């Protein structure tokens, strides 16, 4: 028995005992004082106490005890009546009065409890609704910010990509000229070639970043269809096994075979999941366990991706989905922001738990397909 329940039962027992003691005390006082003090009305006090604190049955029992105490004290006092059954009739009427009072009092008490429970349920529902509204407002604000950032990124990418292409072409021509010069002068242009390779690698790096910006800014509208998450994960994760083995990462899968499909764009959904999986693998530089599970929760599909890696600090976790925030040396800070954008577009949400040195767990919640 839980402590709260035990305390409730103990309180009812103590209240009933106290009411019984009070009823007996009143009976003794009624007998001692005779008819000089009209204390019959006070029998209502222990009856009401038992009914309110211990319930209807206890109230009836104490009411019967009070009736018996009154009747015994009345008979012992030697009261004279025209008929011998009149005291019994009076006792029956007194108990009937107690019965009605107990019934009404406990009905009021039950209504009071029901009203409290109703208020508590509605308050909880209202609190949950307010929390959901705050989440949706935050998601909307985040989407608006991402739209502005995406528009800006698209313009910047457009202005930079063409000059980069020209620079890359000129570097190729310069490399050919160096080769020609080396052949004619018999001098090694290795140092120049090293510089060219470095310049070309940096250009490729900038091009890669711009491609991510463009992908982030111009994400197409999802082409939704009924997608089996289990089949999608099984198929895609099989192709990742060599990479996981190379990183010394052990994959642990837990899929519900009866999980209904979701309405989603399979390519975009996998792109979002792949970003989380890559982050999980990167968080385990010395190997570890990668957990991927999919199951049902009411009308939602839950996808969990967990790792046993480095985890994140509170500051890092707070900025996790902020565009351009990254803890990686060569990261752009758009991967998780893009993932959040995809999940929001699909009507879902992402939760996570993390702690330094204890790994991270991401939970994606997606609505099931209609009729599932």
């Amino acid at each position: 028995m839980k402590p709260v329940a035990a305390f409730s039962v103990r309180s009812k027992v103590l209240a009933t005992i106290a009411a019984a003691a009070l009823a007996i005390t009143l009976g003794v006082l009624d007998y001692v004082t005779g008819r000089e003090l009209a204390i019959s009305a006070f029998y209502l006090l222990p009856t009401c106490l038992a009914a309110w604190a211990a319930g209807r049955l206890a109230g009836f029992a104490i009411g019967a005890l009070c009736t018996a105490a009154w009747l015994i004290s009345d008979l012992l006092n030697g009261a004279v009546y025209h008929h011998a059954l009149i005291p019994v009739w009076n006792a029956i009427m007194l108990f009937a009065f107690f019965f009605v009072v107990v019934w009404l009092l406990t009905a009021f008490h039950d209504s009071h409890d029901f009203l409290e429970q109703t208020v508590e349920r509605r308050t909880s529902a209202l609190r949950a609704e307010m929390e959901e509204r705050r989440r949706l407002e935050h998601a909307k604000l985040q989407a608006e910010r991402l739209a502005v950032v995406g528009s800006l990124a698209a313009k910047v990418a457009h202005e930079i990509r063409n000059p980069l292409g020209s620079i890359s072409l000129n570097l190729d021509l310069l490399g050919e000229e160096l080769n020609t010069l080396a052949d004619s002068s018999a001098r090694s242009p290795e140092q120049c070639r090293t510089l060219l390779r470095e310049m070309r690698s940096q250009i490729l790096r900038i091009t890669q970043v711009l491609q991510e910006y463009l992908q982030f800014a111009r994400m197409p509208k999802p082409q939704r269809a009924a997608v089996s998450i289990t089949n999608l994960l099984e198929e895609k994760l099989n192709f990742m096994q060599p990479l996981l083995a190379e990183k010394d990462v052990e994959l642990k899968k837990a899929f519900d075979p009866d999980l209904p499909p979701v309405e989603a764009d399979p390519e975009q959904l996998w792109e979002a999941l792949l970003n989380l999986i890559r982050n999980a693998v990167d968080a385990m530089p010395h190997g570890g366990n990668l957990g991927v599970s999919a199951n049902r929760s009411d009308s939602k599909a839950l996808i969990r991706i967990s790792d046993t890696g480095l985890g994140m600090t509170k500051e890092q976790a707070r900025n996790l989905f902020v565009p351009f925030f990254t803890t990686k040396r060569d990261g752009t800070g758009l991967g998780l922001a893009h993932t959040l954008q995809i999940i929001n577009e699909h009507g879902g949400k992402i939760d996570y738990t993390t702690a330094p040195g204890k790994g991270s767990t991401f939970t994606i919640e997606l609505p099931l397909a209609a009729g599932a």
Side-chain angles (χ1 to χ4, degrees), residues 228 230-231 254-260 294-295:
S228 171
T230 300
N231 293 340
F255 301 144
D256 181 1
D258 299 323
L259 180 62
N295 52 65

Side-chain angles (χ1 to χ4, degrees), residues 142 146 317-323 336-337 339-340 350 352 362:
Q142 183 79 352
L146 294 181
R318 187 162 46 246
N319 296 296
L320 198 56
F321 296 105
V322 175
L336 289 182
T339 296
L340 179 63
I350 303 179
Y352 61 90
F362 287 84

Side-chain angles (χ1 to χ4, degrees), residues 335-350:
L336 289 182
H338 188 50
T339 296
L340 179 63
Q341 188 179 18
I342 291 174
I343 299 303
N344 286 340
E345 283 283 339
H346 285 77
K349 64 179 183 178
I350 303 179

